Amino acid sequence: MVYQDLLFKDHPSGWRLRYRRNGGGYEASQDGERWIPVPSVTQVTALLNKNLQEWAVRQVVKYLEGELQPGLVLSPEEVERLLREAGTAHRRAAQGAAGRGASLHGWAEAYLKGRNPPLPEEEHLRKMCLSLREWWEENGGHPLRSEEAVFHPQHLYAGRADLVARFGGRVVVVDLKTSSRVYPEHLLQVGAYALALRAEGVEVEGGLVLSLGDGLRVEEVPWEEAAEAFLGLLRVHAFLRGLTP
């Protein structure tokens, strides 16, 4: 259900979730009048994401490698420009990655709903979509839900699951990533989505992370253990939030 730019989801427990289509946080209510903010799955797992620091440094190095050459003489103005642009290289790279992620998820959602969307023109993104399509067809997946908000009424967190699908007789949560590898936080995200879906009555039996950034890599997630680890991190997140003035 959509009201202006807000989307709503009624949970079987009686809670109601609201959120914006393009992000901006989640809120939940039991009576439709008093709304409380609830953290997103990715906000919680960001506490583990130390890889971002190394990634940001790599973006600066990559930028400078493209700009600097042996024997190059720079004026003070050019040095200032290089330093300024090097300092924001990670932001530009992050914006590009976010754009590719949104494009991949948009294509995947349309494809899984049988709309036969055209493949993206960007070569790297096109390869990711082709890899996803090949994997899906080889494994005979049947989509149950895609890009759907989930909420846990007891632990009070929310998020959006990329895909819930049936493979044979097994219901699986599938998380799509444009990264070149699977990181620990990805496993916890799948556990969190699976736990929330179970609270909704969906008999999730497994989880997968599909990393598509550098060829397809599929990692099976022990979702129950991952969910337990996520709940521990959720408590850390709540503690740190309580310290914020």
Side-chain angles (χ1 to χ4, degrees), residues 3-204:
Y3 179 72
Q4 294 180 347
D5 65 336
L6 287 175
L7 290 87
F8 294 85
K9 177 174 180 174
D10 293 317
H11 195 273
S13 63
W15 282 85
R16 197 175 205 200
L17 184 70
R18 74 180 183 186
Y19 57 101
R20 286 179 170 77
R21 184 184 303 275
N22 297 318
Y26 295 89
E27 293 179 308
S29 175
Q30 287 182 297
D31 58 13
E33 295 182 3
R34 180 177 173 268
W35 294 86
I36 60 172
V38 295
S40 72
V41 170
T42 53
Q43 281 178 323
V44 174
T45 58
L47 293 175
L48 289 182
N49 204 348
K50 295 180 180 179
N51 300 293
L52 279 178
Q53 297 176 0
E54 297 178 2
W55 176 84
V57 171
R58 288 199 299 272
Q59 303 314 307
V60 174
V61 172
K62 184 177 179 181
Y63 169 77
L64 292 175
E65 285 177 342
E67 293 288 330
L68 300 178
Q69 301 174 7
L72 180 66
V73 178
L74 298 174
S75 67
E77 292 76 17
E78 290 170 325
V79 170
E80 183 180 352
R81 177 188 63 80
L82 279 176
L83 293 175
R84 182 175 62 252
E85 294 187 0
T88 58
H90 65 293
R91 295 179 186 171
R92 294 192 297 275
Q95 290 172 351
R100 284 191 296 274
S103 297
L104 173 67
H105 286 84
W107 183 90
E109 182 178 12
Y111 168 72
L112 294 168
K113 290 181 178 178
R115 296 175 185 167
N116 194 28
L119 289 166
E121 294 183 3
E122 182 188 337
E123 184 64 21
H124 188 51
L125 186 57
R126 183 185 184 91
K127 287 181 179 179
M128 286 193 279
C129 293
L130 286 170
S131 295
L132 174 60
R133 186 174 70 182
E134 181 180 0
W135 174 83
W136 179 258
E137 292 175 353
E138 284 181 355
N139 288 276
H142 175 72
L144 301 176
R145 305 185 184 191
S146 63
E147 294 294 330
E148 182 166 330
V150 297
F151 169 72
H152 202 293
Q154 177 184 353
H155 300 296
L156 297 180
Y157 67 85
R160 195 174 302 192
D162 291 343
L163 173 65
V164 182
R166 187 182 300 278
F167 296 92
R170 188 167 175 247
V171 177
V172 177
V173 178
V174 182
D175 207 18
L176 307 177
K177 300 297 182 184
T178 57
S179 59
S180 58
R181 55 172 287 198
V182 176
Y183 293 100
E185 56 267 27
H186 299 163
L187 308 182
L188 269 62
Q189 288 167 15
V190 169
Y193 298 141
L195 188 64
L197 286 161
R198 296 275 295 198
E200 195 175 319
V202 181
E203 292 300 318
V204 174

Side-chain angles (χ1 to χ4, degrees), residues 188 191-192 195 222-235:
L188 269 62
L195 188 64
W223 77 264
E224 291 178 292
E225 292 89 340
E228 184 178 352
F230 172 82
L231 292 180
L233 197 61
L234 180 63
R235 289 192 288 272

